[in-house]
């Protein structure tokens, strides 16, 4: 609701990130085909063809990723700006008692730091999450195309990675305490 005119940029960033993943993973498959045609088959003409395809797929994947980042950053910066404007607008109508009760450092953190964190989430996590979800899926599909055993190994690795990721998430209570301590530190620093 803070960026109604730029809302479609989030969808475009996700879509372009998905295209980037597909093209990049297919570029990796082209590398496999290049090496196979060069080393096993011994056909230099076919190897050159796959080399050109590899460069094309990986270049297109990189371009789609750049455009995905461009769309998500435009959305993120506009959102960050609008959140700050809305926060400052809300402060202009606040009573003097509000400023007596709430420390200026806390107010600054709520408006400035949180708006910046929102930018990071929107500008970076939108395309990165799309890639993080699609990349393993397409890599496993390509692994099965290369060899059935390679596909099984990739599935086992994916399960191990998921288990490690869950273990690394950590204690959520600690993160709450950490955020509260960070807010207090910021507030006291600005007050000082």
């Amino acid at each position: 609701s803070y960026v109604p005119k730029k809302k479609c940029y989030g969808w475009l960033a996700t879509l372009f990130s998905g295209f980037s993943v597909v093209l990049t993973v297919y570029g990796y498959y082209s590398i496999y085909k290049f090496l196979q045609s060069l080393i096993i088959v011994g056909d230099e003409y076919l190897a050159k063809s796959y080399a050109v395809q590899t460069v094309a797929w990986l270049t297109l994947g990189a371009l789609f990723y750049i455009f995905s980042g461009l769309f998500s950053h435009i959305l993120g910066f506009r959102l960050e700006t609008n959140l700050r404007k809305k926060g400052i607008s809300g402060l202009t109508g606040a009573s003097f008692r509000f400023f007596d009760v709430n420390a200026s450092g806390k107010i600054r953190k709520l408006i400035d730091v949180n708006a910046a964190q929102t930018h990071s989430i929107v500008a970076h996590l939108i395309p990165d999450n799309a890639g993080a979800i699609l990349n393993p899926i397409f890599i496993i599909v390509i692994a099965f195309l290369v060899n059935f055993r390679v596909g099984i190994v990739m599935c086992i690795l994916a399960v191990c990675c998921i288990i490690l990721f869950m273990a690394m998430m950590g204690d959520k209570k600690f993160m709450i305490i950490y955020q509260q301590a960070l807010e207090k530190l910021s507030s006291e620093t600005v007050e000082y």
Side-chain angles (χ1 to χ4, degrees):
S1 64
Y2 290 100
V3 283
K5 294 178 183 175
K6 305 280 188 212
K7 190 181 282 189
C8 65
Y9 281 45
W11 293 107
L12 285 172
T14 305
L15 185 67
F16 275 57
S17 179
F19 286 146
S20 169
V21 168
V22 170
L23 294 168
T24 303
V25 170
Y26 195 75
Y28 297 152
Y29 182 69
S30 293
I31 291 172
Y32 161 73
K33 295 301 274 182
F34 163 75
L35 292 172
Q36 183 183 40
S37 61
L38 185 66
I39 297 170
I40 296 173
V41 178
D43 187 350
E44 287 183 26
Y45 179 75
L46 187 61
K48 287 179 185 177
S49 171
Y50 279 120
V52 170
Q53 287 180 32
T54 299
V55 170
W57 293 125
L58 292 177
T59 303
L60 282 172
L63 286 173
F64 271 94
Y65 185 76
I66 288 169
F67 280 109
S68 170
L70 179 69
F71 288 131
S72 67
H73 275 79
I74 290 171
L75 177 66
F77 283 126
R78 180 59 51 209
L79 177 63
E80 182 179 0
T81 302
N82 289 350
L83 284 171
R84 284 190 174 121
K85 287 178 183 176
K86 186 78 170 174
I88 298 297
S89 173
L91 285 178
T92 58
S95 67
F96 288 119
R97 185 181 187 300
F98 175 80
F99 293 103
D100 289 338
V101 174
N102 297 296
S104 59
K106 181 179 180 182
I107 297 168
R108 185 198 62 82
K109 182 192 179 296
L110 285 173
I111 294 174
D112 195 41
V113 175
N114 290 344
Q117 287 177 350
T118 303
H119 162 78
S120 296
I121 290 168
V122 171
H124 297 280
L125 289 183
I126 288 177
D128 291 348
N129 279 344
I133 292 169
L134 293 175
N135 219 348
I137 293 169
F138 286 117
I139 287 177
I140 289 172
V141 169
I142 294 293
F144 275 108
L145 288 175
V146 169
N147 188 312
F148 183 75
R149 290 172 287 207
V150 174
I152 291 174
V153 168
M154 292 302 288
C155 286
I156 292 169
L157 281 173
V159 170
C160 290
C161 288
I162 290 170
I163 291 169
L164 286 172
F165 179 73
M166 299 280 244
M168 287 174 24
M169 288 301 286
D171 186 16
K172 293 183 181 180
K173 292 177 186 175
F174 172 76
M175 287 307 293
I176 292 170
I177 294 168
Y178 173 76
Q179 288 296 332
Q180 289 172 344
L182 189 63
E183 183 177 316
K184 182 177 179 185
L185 176 68
S186 175
S187 174
E188 296 295 328
T189 302
V190 172
E191 283 296 318
Y192 181 73

